[in-house]
Amino acid sequence: AREIVRKTRLWQRGWNTASFGEFSVVCEEGLHTFTVRVHPGDLPADCFRVELFAGPEGTKPSERHPMEISGTSELGFTPYSVRIPLLRPVGDYTPRLLPFSEGLSVPLEAPWIAWQR
């Protein structure tokens, strides 16, 4: 509980300082690699996760794909990537930034979610 209290203070102060940079998609070997650059602003790296999200559509359920750091930071922006088989149009997928702490329920306990636009 102490850890969540500490992180909540960090999210309250720093959430609006995080930002997204370049977003790209490359297809090779039947997989699509989605990459987005994230500037954490005032947020420590252990306070957030980056994921690729697609909402439910028709009979297709929503999809959540964790993105991992995939290179070195440049000008404060760190690349995050994920490779997935493309079962939907590329435009259905959007990177997002989520608050993170073990056992935390987002958005119930931490309403901050930032979307790449």
Side-chain angles (χ1 to χ4, degrees), residues 1-13 43-49 99-104 109-110 112:
R2 200 175 282 164
E3 180 69 7
I4 290 177
V5 169
R6 178 187 75 82
K7 286 184 177 180
T8 297
R9 288 186 191 122
L10 291 169
W11 295 322
Q12 288 170 335
R13 286 193 314 255
L43 295 174
D46 71 336
C47 285
F48 66 90
R49 293 291 184 262
F100 175 78
S101 188
E102 286 296 329
L104 182 71
E109 297 173 306
W112 303 276

Side-chain angles (χ1 to χ4, degrees), residues 27-101:
C27 180
E28 53 189 21
E29 300 175 16
L31 295 174
H32 284 69
T33 302
F34 291 80
T35 303
V36 66
R37 295 189 162 282
V38 175
H39 191 294
D42 295 335
L43 295 174
D46 71 336
C47 285
F48 66 90
R49 293 291 184 262
V50 181
E51 73 177 19
L52 187 66
F53 179 83
E57 188 172 308
T59 60
K60 298 175 185 170
S62 62
E63 295 180 35
R64 296 175 63 173
H65 302 279
M67 301 182 83
E68 302 292 331
I69 293 175
S70 59
T72 57
S73 294
E74 293 179 23
L75 301 174
F77 284 87
T78 302
Y80 287 80
S81 297
V82 64
R83 288 182 64 151
I84 60 171
L86 193 65
L87 304 175
R88 303 164 66 143
V90 168
D92 284 1
Y93 296 92
T94 306
R96 66 184 187 173
L97 195 67
L98 301 165
F100 175 78
S101 188

